[in-house]
Amino acid sequence: QEAGVPGSEFLQTGICVVDHLGKAGEHVLNSIFELVMQPLSARLFAETGGASLDYRYGYIIGYGNEAERSKDRSIVRQGFISHIDDSEVTLNVCLRNPKHFTGGRLLLQHLRGSPKEGQMEKALDLKLGRAVMHRGVHMHEVEGVTSGQRQVLIMWTQ
């Protein structure tokens, strides 16, 4: 971190932790959490803890091909292998117009521990400003971005 400048850890990691952007970052995340995540999670995921969310963590991450990653430190990976999140409910918000990148679909697979674990359930082309909410145990991956840059806001909640 450079002399305590909020968000400066981004310079080393390429990932922007939104809370580290000061009061504005906290306000944005708190607003999304209180006005969107808590009410929707209570309704959609009540049986798995969605009704009792009291913690959130959010960051912005960029995806791009090797050429993009070599010229822009905010692009940290091309795609992301199949995984689950350390959350009860995850929010994934597309921050870039898909006209500016190819690839990068969000690939949802069946829940971890289910008989169909790891099998493809749905492939989503994210649209600018649109969001996907899913349980943390919902296996998913990000398809490799082949051109341009894809940025998303990710919020984990517990």
Side-chain angles (χ1 to χ4, degrees):
Q1 202 162 355
E2 291 191 14
V5 176
S8 63
E9 72 284 348
F10 171 79
L11 300 173
Q12 286 78 40
T13 66
I15 296 173
C16 177
V17 178
V18 179
D19 273 313
H20 296 182
L21 298 176
K23 295 284 184 201
E26 291 176 27
H27 178 72
V28 166
L29 290 182
N30 286 338
S31 295
I32 293 170
F33 183 64
E34 293 165 7
L35 299 173
V36 178
M37 292 296 290
Q38 285 180 317
L40 286 177
S41 294
R43 192 158 186 111
L44 299 172
F45 307 109
E47 74 286 351
T48 59
S52 61
L53 300 178
D54 61 1
Y55 170 82
R56 54 103 190 119
Y57 174 80
Y59 62 94
I60 296 170
I61 187 167
Y63 294 82
N65 63 21
E66 189 64 40
E68 294 292 335
R69 290 194 319 270
S70 68
K71 67 182 181 183
D72 187 338
R73 294 185 65 186
S74 72
I75 306 302
V76 298
R77 54 174 63 124
Q78 184 169 4
F80 199 36
I81 62 171
S82 182
H83 64 285
I84 60 170
D85 296 331
D86 186 15
S87 69
E88 297 300 323
V89 180
T90 297
L91 178 74
N92 184 322
V93 183
C94 183
L95 301 178
R96 189 159 178 99
N97 190 321
K99 292 186 223 177
H100 298 292
F101 64 89
T102 55
R105 294 183 305 166
L106 180 61
L107 307 176
L108 294 174
Q109 300 154 357
H110 288 274
L111 295 178
R112 183 174 187 182
S114 74
K116 293 184 176 183
E117 177 180 327
Q119 294 179 26
M120 180 63 67
E121 187 174 356
K122 190 167 196 106
L124 301 171
D125 291 307
L126 299 180
K127 306 281 188 238
L128 176 63
R130 296 216 178 145
V132 174
M133 285 178 63
H134 61 83
R135 291 176 52 196
V137 295
H138 206 134
M139 296 194 66
H140 58 286
E141 65 184 272
V142 177
E143 179 180 69
V145 172
T146 55
S147 68
Q149 299 180 2
R150 170 193 190 265
Q151 281 89 13
V152 292
L153 167 68
I154 304 294
M155 184 184 289
W156 293 331
T157 62
Q158 296 180 343

